[in-house]
Amino acid sequence: MPFTSTTHVRWPDVDPNGHMRTTAYLDAAEDNRMQFFASVGFPVPELTARRLGPISHGDDIRYRAELRLLEAFTVELRLSGMASDGARFRLHNRIVKEDGRTAATIETTAGWLDLDARRLTTPPADLLAALTTLERTKDFAELPSPLAHV
């Protein structure tokens, strides 16, 4: 099962066209991901204490159906790719309307930032193990490590 969280479209999430704006989709996905990390023992204070943080390298959003003001939705999270050392990973969020239709999908490529050195790093073994508890997508792919050439 994917990791899920539920929320609704808030007033500041709506654009002039009357539907949820792009950045609100990204906010919902980011919130879902941080809820996942907290649920597996890595809330923000723990990551900060370890001087480590997730960092996004890019997002690919695909829209399928509109979400409107006060409409409830579920955010699903799956792992769609990862380097063997865990330094780079790809997360797949699916935004699901109450009727089960996909409103959007977001594919995020990310890594772990050493907060002191300000460089990408590998996660500690317990964080890597927690990340691997996520359900994998059907198209899960092994990613190259960004540290392989360092």
Side-chain angles (χ1 to χ4, degrees):
M1 296 292 296
F3 177 80
T4 62
S5 58
T6 58
T7 190
H8 69 277
V9 181
R10 304 167 312 134
W11 177 255
D13 296 335
V14 178
D15 70 11
N17 295 324
H19 57 236
M20 196 157 106
R21 60 188 170 79
T22 300
T23 56
Y25 283 97
L26 292 173
D27 290 343
E30 289 170 345
D31 185 67
N32 171 264
R33 294 190 298 259
M34 294 313 293
Q35 286 184 51
F36 165 73
F37 288 122
S39 78
V40 294
F42 292 93
V44 171
E46 178 63 21
L47 292 171
T48 302
R50 292 181 184 223
R51 306 303 299 146
L52 189 67
I55 185 169
S56 174
H57 296 288
D59 299 293
D60 179 34
I61 304 175
R62 302 295 171 165
Y63 303 100
R64 305 286 184 243
E66 290 182 307
L67 283 170
R68 296 189 175 274
L69 183 62
L70 300 179
E71 193 172 347
F73 61 93
T74 299
V75 184
E76 298 177 348
L77 177 63
R78 291 178 177 85
L79 186 63
S80 61
M82 189 166 61
S84 60
D85 63 5
R88 175 180 288 149
F89 53 97
R90 194 169 53 226
L91 299 171
H92 177 87
N93 286 105
R94 178 176 170 242
I95 311 295
V96 185
K97 295 171 66 74
E98 284 186 301
D99 64 8
R101 290 185 296 151
T102 299
T105 58
I106 302 167
E107 200 73 29
T108 301
T109 302
W112 294 106
L113 180 68
D114 177 316
L115 296 178
D116 295 320
R118 309 308 286 179
R119 300 176 57 119
L120 288 177
T121 189
T122 57
D126 55 347
L127 178 53
L128 179 58
L131 185 58
T132 63
T133 65
L134 272 173
E135 177 182 304
R136 292 181 174 198
T137 59
K138 291 178 181 168
D139 63 348
F140 178 89
E142 181 77 24
L143 303 177
S145 173
L147 304 177
H149 63 278
V150 176

